[in-house]
Amino acid sequence: MLELKNISFQVDDEGKGKEIIRDVSITVPESKLIVVTGPNGGGKSTLARLIAGIEKPTGGRIFFSGEDITEKTVTERARMGIAYAFQQPVRFKGIRVLDLIRIAAGKTLSVADACEYLSSVGLCARDYVDREVNASLSGGELKRIEIATVLARHAKLSVFDEPEAGIDLWSFRNLIDVFRRMRETIEKGSILIISHQERILNIADEIIVIKDGNVDRQGPKEAVYPFLNAGLVAMDALECEGHIRAMGQGGAQA
Amino acid sequence: MKLDEIQKRLLQEVADLHEVPEGAYNIRSNSQSAGRRSTANIEIVSKEDVSGLEIRIKPGTKRESVHIPVVMTESGLKEVVYNDFFIGENSDVVIVAGCGIDNCGNQDSEHDGIHRFYVGKGARVRYVEKHYGSGEGKGKRILNPGTEVHMDEDSYMEMEMVQIKGVDDTVRTTTADLKAGAKLVVRERLMTHGEQNAVSTYAVELNGDNASADVVSRSVARDHSFQKFDAKIVGNAACNGHTECDSIIMDQGRILAVPGLEANHVDASLFHEAAIGKIAGEQLIKLMTLGLTEAEAEEQIINGFLR
Ligand SMILES: Nc1ncnc2c1ncn2[C@@H]1O[C@H](COP(=O)(O)OP(=O)(O)OP(=O)(O)O)[C@@H](O)[C@H]1O
Ligand SMILES: [Mg+2]
């Protein structure tokens, strides 16, 4: 369904080219839930932006439903069925939650239908439909509205960038159900979730670990999970060691 | 009341009127009164010396409204109208003004409405004023509203002023003086296109303790249009004042914001905010990921901003 072939992405960093994504090839098959994880700054969000068309790759091709979409605009890709929930949702002065959900649905939804989407992300719909998507919303509220708009799109491919960030525990549990239900209800639809959360990793059909702009590891969760855990333990040990060394140096200077 | 289709359309734009309004009203069409009604509590009479009206609202009048829309469809008309509002103590009323000009001729049409408000002690007023222009002629549509507000103790006035379309030239001047405990809230919405020019000047004096003013303008300048927002608040007592100019520029549009604060009392607390910039790129991108084209996204963002 979605295929990235040898994708590279370079930015200009004070005159020097900086590779943020290096020769990444991944496939998101039909009806699957893929979770992308990996250390901060590894390139996960950049990958999502490349899929949505917000950034254009400096190398490689992107295929969606068998079509080469590398040169297609954000709007064209959205209309072909790619939806993207931002890691940091955007605020708008004057645009109401209801307006945003209607735009996402691409039709004049009834207020009741719009409320369904809000309820499924744990927002008491009546309190929110008329609110403006502006600075008055809390981070968690905004994040949930962002997820609701993507649900309203019923897209063939839905990409969620750290949907759990800032969301309370109770709503988080429901969120897992939302993703499960999504997988069941959207025919041939696939979901790509960027996450650091164990419980989201747990519902994945496949896990992709992105590190330093590269695919570090990829496979069914049973295969990847042990490495993730080992990696975490190793990282903790390293960090700890570095910390002790730094403290030692500090002591010597003093 | 006889009004043609264009006049009816203008009335709808500026006063949301489809029919004769409820309550007191005066409809002015091409410099003539096209209909008037006073009520038991609200009296509307013509001025004798100059063109205009005196509107007297009895003390204690509650939940009543006054509509005084103006429509102009003859090219080349130029008029100055003086309307005075005497709002009785402890009343609670809605006043809807507004002016629509349709100019298909080659001569300029101009309406300068000078409104004076005397808001009595404890009275509450909601004032709505919409300006609208249409017509394909070369003649300009010009509106120069002058508003003077005198607020007695503990009175409250909310002014909503909207000019979204079709007015070529505007100089809006609003002055207000407030006694103790009075509160003034201004919400201005402005959009200019083409070669339009709009100047909006506010001078508010807070003269009594606990007086407060909140003047907020949201505007969009497109094409080659120019806007100037000049808001001054003077604090002469223990008072609160806030002005805000929040603007979007597009194309070759230009905006000049000139905030002015003057504190003449140690307990005066005044502040202003001004932000001018183009539409945030991430807002456009977000809406495009929902399937809108860039132009559609722009329209949604501006509609929301000026809501
Ligand atoms: N336009 C850009 N210019 C320069 N550097 C960039 C740009 N975009 C991203 N980067 C850098 O690329 C790297 C990858 O960023 P990205 O946001 O994709 O990481 P991430 O894996 O999503 O991290 P996180 O888990 O913290 O969200 C980071 O080091 C970031 O600073
Ligand atoms: Mg990220």
Side-chain angles (χ1 to χ4, degrees):
Chain A
M1 129 101 70
L2 175 79
E3 202 184 350
L4 307 192
K5 271 195 177 154
N6 308 102
I7 290 297
S8 298
F9 181 62
Q10 216 173 30
V11 293
D12 188 42
D13 190 19
E14 286 164 4
K16 290 180 306 208
K18 181 181 162 198
E19 283 246 274
I20 295 176
I21 298 293
R22 290 184 257 179
D23 195 21
V24 166
S25 297
I26 55 176
T27 306
V28 180
E30 246 171 41
S31 310
K32 293 280 187 236
L33 194 158
I34 308 291
V35 175
V36 173
T37 192
N40 291 141
K44 303 179 298 297
S45 295
T46 306
L47 217 48
R49 293 164 67 82
L50 285 162
I51 293 169
I54 299 167
E55 305 284 5
K56 289 278 154 71
T58 40
R61 313 299 302 174
I62 304 177
F63 297 87
F64 182 63
S65 304
E67 206 177 322
D68 186 337
I69 60 164
T70 320
E71 305 303 327
K72 295 224 183 290
T73 63
V74 175
T75 308
E76 284 167 336
R77 294 185 201 198
R79 290 182 177 173
M80 288 176 75
I82 296 178
Y84 174 32
F86 289 18
Q87 183 171 1
Q88 263 138 7
V90 181
R91 298 174 195 265
F92 298 88
K93 284 179 184 158
I95 294 185
R96 294 170 306 168
V97 174
L98 179 63
D99 302 328
L100 211 56
I101 291 180
R102 280 181 175 161
I103 293 170
K107 55 182 182 212
T108 329
L109 279 185
S110 70
V111 175
D113 286 343
C115 284
E116 287 279 305
Y117 295 112
L118 291 173
S119 304
S120 66
V121 294
L123 290 175
C124 172
R126 197 172 309 174
D127 296 345
Y128 287 94
V129 272
D130 286 329
R131 289 272 303 264
E132 286 182 24
V133 189
N134 64 14
S136 74
L137 289 168
S138 80
E141 288 167 341
L142 191 65
K143 194 78 189 181
R144 286 193 265 174
I145 289 162
E146 178 80 359
I147 295 167
T149 55
V150 166
L151 297 181
R153 297 212 45 219
H154 292 276
K156 271 196 250 172
L157 173 68
S158 303
V159 180
F160 296 92
D161 198 343
E162 299 196 20
E164 75 272 13
I167 288 187
D168 60 69
L169 277 176
W170 186 86
S171 311
F172 180 65
R173 223 171 294 152
N174 289 312
L175 201 58
I176 302 264
D177 289 335
V178 167
F179 293 137
R180 280 218 187 93
R181 231 179 304 138
M182 237 181 128
R183 182 165 44 173
E184 284 153 20
T185 51
I186 303 179
E187 205 186 329
K188 294 182 181 171
S190 333
I191 307 171
L192 191 150
I193 306 176
I194 297 170
S195 176
H196 302 290
Q197 264 293 332
E198 206 171 323
R199 295 175 77 149
I200 291 183
L201 291 166
N202 264 327
I203 58 167
D205 295 309
E206 192 178 302
I207 296 175
I208 299 173
V209 183
I210 299 282
K211 197 173 151 188
D212 299 329
N214 249 317
V215 177
D216 186 55
R217 202 165 289 275
Q218 167 171 21
K221 68 168 177 264
E222 297 76 22
V224 176
Y225 218 79
F227 288 96
L228 266 181
N229 268 322
L232 284 177
V233 173
M235 249 162 46
D236 279 351
L238 265 178
E239 244 171 57
C240 211
E241 207 177 291
H243 188 60
I244 292 165
R245 215 184 298 135
M247 268 174 39
Q249 281 168 359
Q253 272 165 10
Chain B
M1 198 170 49
K2 39 187 195 315
L3 292 170
D4 62 26
E5 286 310 310
I6 297 172
Q7 290 169 324
K8 282 184 190 157
R9 179 170 56 78
L10 291 176
L11 270 182
Q12 206 167 318
E13 290 285 349
V14 300
D16 290 324
L17 288 181
H18 310 275
E19 303 278 326
V20 170
E22 277 187 29
Y25 70 87
N26 182 80
I27 296 172
R28 183 183 175 95
S29 167
N30 291 327
S31 304
Q32 313 271 325
S33 178
R36 175 181 303 174
R37 178 167 66 213
S38 294
T39 64
N41 293 323
I42 302 176
E43 186 191 25
I44 304 180
V45 292
S46 295
K47 276 188 183 302
E48 308 214 320
D49 45 347
V50 287
S51 181
L53 304 168
E54 268 186 30
I55 293 129
R56 295 182 177 277
I57 298 170
K58 281 191 186 156
T61 301
K62 301 276 184 195
R63 283 177 296 282
E64 286 200 37
S65 63
V66 189
H67 283 79
I68 51 154
V70 173
V71 293
M72 288 168 85
T73 53
E74 277 171 25
S75 186
L77 272 184
K78 180 178 186 325
E79 59 182 18
V80 185
V81 176
Y82 298 85
N83 294 329
D84 290 341
F85 299 79
F86 300 92
I87 298 143
E89 290 180 10
N90 297 314
S91 52
D92 184 352
V93 293
V94 176
I95 299 170
V96 180
C99 180
I101 301 182
D102 184 88
N103 189 354
C104 351
N106 293 325
Q107 286 172 294
D108 294 353
S109 297
E110 177 172 340
H111 174 86
D112 299 346
I114 314 297
H115 288 182
R116 276 188 299 207
F117 295 88
Y118 299 89
V119 187
K121 278 187 191 157
R124 292 180 67 86
V125 183
R126 190 173 128 75
Y127 175 68
V128 181
E129 182 189 282
K130 288 188 185 157
H131 286 166
Y132 173 81
S134 59
E136 300 303 318
K138 279 207 202 82
K140 282 189 170 178
R141 292 145 302 196
I142 303 169
L143 286 166
N144 294 322
T147 310
E148 215 180 273
V149 182
H150 305 284
M151 299 182 66
D152 212 331
E153 287 170 17
D154 300 316
S155 60
Y156 173 86
M157 180 147 175
E158 190 183 310
M159 307 176 79
E160 184 187 326
M161 319 224 245
V162 184
Q163 181 175 311
I164 302 293
K165 227 181 142 191
V167 178
D168 295 299
D169 242 304
T170 301
V171 178
R172 174 193 292 284
T173 313
T174 306
T175 60
D177 52 69
L178 284 72
K179 288 194 180 159
K183 179 171 185 171
L184 175 68
V185 175
V186 176
R187 294 286 175 265
E188 186 183 275
R189 299 276 184 275
L190 176 65
M191 180 151 81
T192 49
H193 310 249
E195 304 292 325
Q196 294 170 4
N197 249 306
V199 176
S200 190
T201 306
Y202 291 86
V204 179
E205 284 190 24
L206 304 173
N207 296 328
D209 286 353
N210 289 318
S212 68
D214 185 23
V215 179
V216 177
S217 165
R218 278 213 182 156
S219 72
V220 178
R222 328 176 71 133
D223 306 324
H224 286 87
S225 64
F226 173 75
Q227 298 177 8
K228 181 176 170 188
F229 177 72
D230 186 336
K232 184 175 180 193
I233 298 190
V234 182
N236 294 323
C239 59
N240 280 294
H242 170 236
T243 69
E244 183 180 333
C245 163
D246 195 351
S247 304
I248 292 176
I249 36 171
M250 301 170 74
D251 316 310
Q252 257 54 252
R254 292 181 303 132
I255 293 179
L256 171 63
V258 192
L261 302 178
E262 183 181 325
N264 298 319
H265 190 286
V266 71
D267 289 319
S269 156
L270 309 174
F271 73 106
H272 76 77
E273 300 169 80
I276 305 173
K278 60 175 189 240
I279 294 176
E282 58 167 14
Q283 293 184 338
L284 288 172
I285 287 173
K286 177 71 232 180
L287 296 186
M288 284 157 71
T289 64
L290 299 180
L292 300 189
T293 63
E294 189 170 345
E296 288 166 346
E298 231 174 57
E299 196 183 309
Q300 289 284 347
I301 292 164
I302 288 182
N303 279 346
F305 186 72
L306 293 175
R307 187 198 301 279

